[in-house]
Amino acid sequence: MIANPKIIDVVKKFTDVREHSVAICAPLEIEDFVVQPIVDVSPPKWHLGHTTWFFETFILIPNFPGYEVFDPQYNFVFNSYYETIGARVIRTDRGNLSRPSVADVYRYREYVDQQMISFLQSDSLNATIETLVELGLNHEQQHQELLLTDIKYILGHNPLFPAYKKGQRSEKVNSGSAKMISFPEGIYEIGFQGSGFCFDNELDRHKVYLQDFEISDRAVTNGEYLEFMKDNGYTDFRHWHAEGWDWVKQNEAKAPLYWHQIDGKWMYYTLEGLKELNLDEAVCHINFYEASAFAAWKGMRLPTEAEWEVASEQFPWGNRWEWTGSAYLPYPGFKKEAGAVGEYNGKFMVNQMVLRGASEATPKGHSRNTYRNFFHASLKWQFTGIRLAK
């Protein structure tokens, strides 16, 4: 019997993505798997379980005859926000779960992986299931980025500042003067087109009218951001949105996340441990309020997401998620899928801002210039940075 090339390809993609999640967690100590310092950070153990639950819940249970659920209680433990699927552990309590153990979660992954491979090789693959598998793999890649981000927060808030892994180098940026790239006013098109995967929030491709604008050819550096701080950036209300200024006062904000002034020197925590601040590196781990305040201090602004996408072929991107000035809203023609998968993006289209690009934590092959990331304006634990426009 000749093996179906499509099935071989899907199985390989599935295996590669699933193995990468395990590889991300390989440097961790067992104690690291359960920590949840803040509500936005999920324990690594939970990420490993939740991404497994996704395949079990949306593919195996409804489509694989005779499939036996690994543990019926895991639906309650590893459901994230899917109201259609039922009750779940509230997000703030994910770090309170000593059980299932880390070993149990790895057994769960192995069981579901074996069942998924058997299912995929059983000639049950059709267009609908293939689409679900692809969504599941992209969902897991999103969690791989979250894994690295959450691991950095867990270790970066440990007083010992332990390194996650040596050799985790972040890309450097050109320390030379930034150049502004000009675009004329006119009608442009944005949104995903062509073959390949995209999330539903990238559709439909549509026309936008843009006034003439300029956008920087590189991201803002640590050195440039430090100048903002030295010029009383965090103490001058004139640069800030009212809500941002409230955030500054309530949190006594003075610097980006992971920056520490030690013995008169600025240090910052990286995945390789605590290091002296590299002034030429793109500033990272700042929220929308900080990005907007810096832009105002420079006499500029953040680009809209349409401007960013139109201009993205003219500059390098991918080292930082870049805040835009655009609220996260549906595109014209956006439609939510039926059932639980329809809860994936649409329900979050309120009170969030769009980020564009990718980051050093984004898995290979998981970025494109139409990708719409989104977070609340106060959040800064992601690998987020600034690109200026005017």
Side-chain angles (χ1 to χ4, degrees):
M1 180 178 176
I2 299 174
N4 186 326
K6 176 172 272 194
I7 291 174
I8 292 172
D9 183 53
V10 172
V11 169
K12 185 178 186 312
K13 284 181 184 174
F14 176 81
T15 304
D16 288 348
V17 170
R18 296 288 285 169
E19 287 177 350
H20 186 55
S21 298
V22 173
I24 289 171
C25 293
L28 300 180
E29 298 293 342
I30 199 73
E31 291 83 359
D32 300 325
F33 280 86
V34 206
V35 182
Q36 185 179 24
I38 57 172
V39 62
D40 301 297
V41 170
S42 294
K45 178 179 75 172
W46 186 87
H47 284 292
L48 293 175
H50 169 69
T51 49
T52 303
W53 167 89
F54 189 98
F55 289 106
E56 181 177 61
T57 302
F58 293 114
I59 296 176
L60 291 173
I61 292 174
N63 297 296
F64 198 14
Y67 175 74
E68 294 184 13
V69 171
F70 183 82
D71 188 322
Q73 296 185 85
Y74 282 14
N75 187 62
F76 179 73
V77 173
F78 293 123
N79 183 3
S80 54
Y81 52 72
Y82 296 91
E83 301 287 350
T84 308
I85 304 300
R88 61 202 177 277
V89 171
I90 61 173
R91 188 176 183 181
T92 53
D93 285 353
R94 291 173 185 172
N96 297 336
L97 299 169
S98 61
R99 305 296 174 91
S101 68
V102 175
D104 289 335
V105 172
Y106 276 115
R107 279 192 286 271
Y108 179 38
R109 285 184 72 87
E110 289 169 8
Y111 174 80
V112 169
D113 285 355
Q114 290 169 2
Q115 294 292 316
M116 275 292 299
I117 290 169
S118 296
F119 170 65
L120 293 172
Q121 292 176 336
S122 68
D123 284 334
S124 299
L125 193 66
N126 57 39
T128 301
I129 291 171
E130 188 176 358
T131 298
L132 271 175
V133 171
E134 194 166 35
L135 176 63
L137 294 177
N138 279 272
H139 167 260
E140 180 136 1
Q141 287 179 308
Q142 286 184 315
H143 278 270
Q144 287 166 354
E145 180 155 5
L146 285 168
L147 257 174
L148 272 177
T149 308
D150 291 355
I151 288 167
K152 184 172 183 179
Y153 196 96
I154 290 166
L155 300 181
H157 285 77
N158 183 305
L160 301 178
F161 294 123
Y164 160 68
K165 187 179 179 183
K166 297 298 182 182
Q168 288 289 125
R169 294 182 302 120
S170 58
E171 297 174 33
K172 303 299 185 294
V173 299
N174 189 334
S175 59
S177 298
K179 295 181 178 62
M180 301 301 288
I181 308 169
S182 299
F183 289 84
E185 68 173 314
I187 296 173
Y188 298 87
E189 287 194 353
I190 65 169
F192 184 82
Q193 69 174 348
S195 58
F197 176 83
C198 75
F199 288 109
D200 57 3
N201 64 2
E202 299 171 57
L203 299 170
D204 282 337
R205 188 167 177 84
H206 60 285
K207 292 179 173 62
V208 292
Y209 173 77
L210 299 177
Q211 299 280 1
D212 58 305
F213 69 96
E214 295 178 47
I215 190 167
S216 177
D217 66 344
R218 66 162 172 81
V220 171
T221 65
N222 287 331
E224 291 167 329
Y225 198 84
L226 190 56
E227 290 300 313
F228 165 70
M229 292 163 56
K230 288 177 178 177
D231 196 32
N232 302 313
Y234 280 92
T235 57
D236 190 341
F237 71 90
R238 292 175 299 171
H239 308 312
W240 299 81
H241 290 105
E243 193 174 290
W245 186 239
D246 289 341
W247 172 84
V248 169
K249 293 184 291 183
Q250 289 165 9
N251 294 276
E252 298 181 351
K254 295 182 175 71
L257 184 63
Y258 302 122
W259 285 32
H260 305 276
Q261 199 162 31
I262 302 172
D263 297 331
K265 258 185 209 176
W266 278 107
M267 310 288 288
Y268 73 135
Y269 179 77
T270 74
L271 289 170
E272 290 189 300
L274 199 63
K275 293 185 172 184
E276 189 171 346
L277 188 70
N278 182 339
L279 298 181
D280 295 337
E281 197 170 43
V283 69
C284 196
H285 298 295
I286 58 167
N287 62 27
F288 174 80
Y289 301 139
E290 292 168 303
S292 294
F294 177 87
W297 174 75
K298 290 289 286 185
M300 294 199 239
R301 60 176 174 82
L302 302 178
T304 66
E305 67 167 321
E307 288 172 341
W308 190 98
E309 185 174 321
V310 166
S312 61
E313 292 183 2
Q314 303 296 317
F315 54 74
W317 53 268
N319 195 30
R320 303 284 185 260
W321 284 106
E322 301 174 12
W323 288 104
T324 73
S326 298
Y328 179 50
L329 295 170
Y331 280 169
F334 170 78
K335 294 176 184 175
K336 285 200 281 188
E337 295 287 333
V341 294
E343 299 185 52
Y344 201 88
N345 281 311
K347 68 194 279 184
F348 299 110
M349 291 174 173
V350 63
N351 295 334
Q352 312 218 42
M353 302 303 291
V354 174
L355 301 100
R356 288 304 194 102
S359 83
E360 61 192 74
T362 307
K364 186 178 179 181
H366 189 67
S367 60
R368 54 193 168 273
N369 72 340
T370 59
Y371 200 123
R372 304 177 77 203
N373 205 348
F374 53 92
F375 285 105
H376 288 284
S378 64
L379 297 178
K380 57 195 295 185
W381 97 111
Q382 287 291 312
F383 290 77
T384 49
I386 312 170
R387 186 181 300 273
L388 296 175
K390 64 180 182 178

